[in-house]
Amino acid sequence: ISLTLHARCSQCLWSLRMDLCHVPTTREKGWYLALMAPNVKGPNYAWLDPSRLYCHPQGLQDCVADLLQPFQGDPIDMVAGIDAMGFILGTAAATILRKGFLAIRKAGHLCVKTLAQPYTDYSGREKVMEVRTDAIAPGLRVLLVDQWIETGGTMRAAIQLVEQLGGPTCVPTGIAAICIEDSEGGRWIQEHYKCSHCVPPRLKPRFNSHQ
């Protein structure tokens, strides 16, 4: 029995490795979304985990390329990513654009002077976000990046920080996330800012209903 189980486990691990190396012949926008894993730990976690997508070399490249495509030709001075998973996509985007990267952190992690903004995240928990005060100047054009926008509370807090530090002339150039759900907050963000996401229209209803 142990040998049989070992063989099955080895086969599963090999399938996983093959899956993370396979690149489809036709790469339509969003093909890499199938690499994401569903939540198996209950309601205290997000309904879907995109981090497996980042393990796939071509999947990660195509995801970032799709996020940046709507901003081709737009003036961008800096990319800002939101703690914590927004750091991954944000840094990748900044590298491609050859721009600097600003980390917008959860409170308590920065040892320099900061500006803080309270917010409520997708799970309903009250939190505080902060950013260093010496990185954003008036008129700076910032692309804000996060992994996911569900209720919009986290992204709105980041927008407020950028606009407070930069003043009336500093408006985010754009908002980018793998998915922007059709929540009240998600709709508000899309109505007020240029946005980019990776979910094809035919799949949006399923993502909005967390299927």
Side-chain angles (χ1 to χ4, degrees):
I1 295 175
S2 61
L3 288 175
T4 302
L5 289 175
H6 177 74
R8 288 178 179 173
C9 289
S10 298
Q11 185 177 9
C12 289
L13 288 172
W14 175 249
S15 297
L16 178 63
R17 293 192 190 99
M18 291 296 290
D19 182 51
L20 292 177
C21 294
H22 174 71
V23 178
T25 304
T26 303
R27 305 202 314 270
E28 299 178 351
K29 178 180 178 179
W31 69 269
Y32 41 78
L33 297 175
L35 293 166
M36 299 189 297
N39 170 9
V40 296
K41 290 190 173 181
N44 292 329
Y45 294 83
W47 72 279
L48 194 63
D49 174 34
S51 64
R52 189 164 174 266
L53 184 165
Y54 308 147
C55 299
H56 193 292
Q58 192 63 56
L60 176 59
Q61 290 180 55
D62 287 356
C63 175
V64 176
D66 287 341
L67 286 176
L68 292 178
Q69 195 281 327
F71 305 109
Q72 295 295 322
D74 291 358
I76 296 172
D77 300 313
M78 178 181 289
V79 178
I82 300 175
D83 197 343
M85 300 305 284
F87 293 170
I88 299 170
L89 293 175
T91 303
T95 301
I96 291 173
L97 293 172
R98 296 177 179 268
K99 302 298 180 182
F101 175 78
L102 174 64
I104 299 180
R105 305 289 320 260
K106 293 171 185 173
H109 295 288
L110 291 171
C111 62
V112 295
K113 186 177 180 181
T114 62
L115 178 67
Q117 178 65 46
Y119 69 100
T120 304
D121 72 2
Y122 68 92
S123 67
R125 289 175 290 186
E126 298 293 330
K127 295 183 178 180
V128 178
M129 182 183 296
E130 64 181 9
V131 65
R132 60 187 309 133
T133 59
D134 58 358
I136 298 179
L140 196 73
R141 295 162 297 193
V142 180
L143 175 63
L144 275 165
V145 181
D146 201 3
Q147 176 173 267
W148 208 269
I149 297 177
E150 190 166 331
T151 61
T154 304
M155 181 57 75
R156 288 191 71 168
I159 291 171
Q160 288 174 308
L161 287 173
V162 170
E163 293 181 345
Q164 287 178 62
L165 282 175
T169 60
C170 185
V171 177
T173 297
I175 309 295
I178 293 177
C179 178
I180 304 176
E181 294 187 21
D182 188 30
S183 59
E184 181 180 351
R187 289 192 299 273
W188 185 91
I189 289 169
Q190 293 184 87
E191 289 168 2
H192 289 81
Y193 300 92
K194 184 174 182 177
C195 293
S196 173
H197 64 82
C198 302
V199 182
R202 61 185 175 82
L203 293 178
K204 279 291 289 179
R206 297 190 64 182
F207 275 75
N208 290 332
S209 57
H210 291 187
Q211 296 181 353

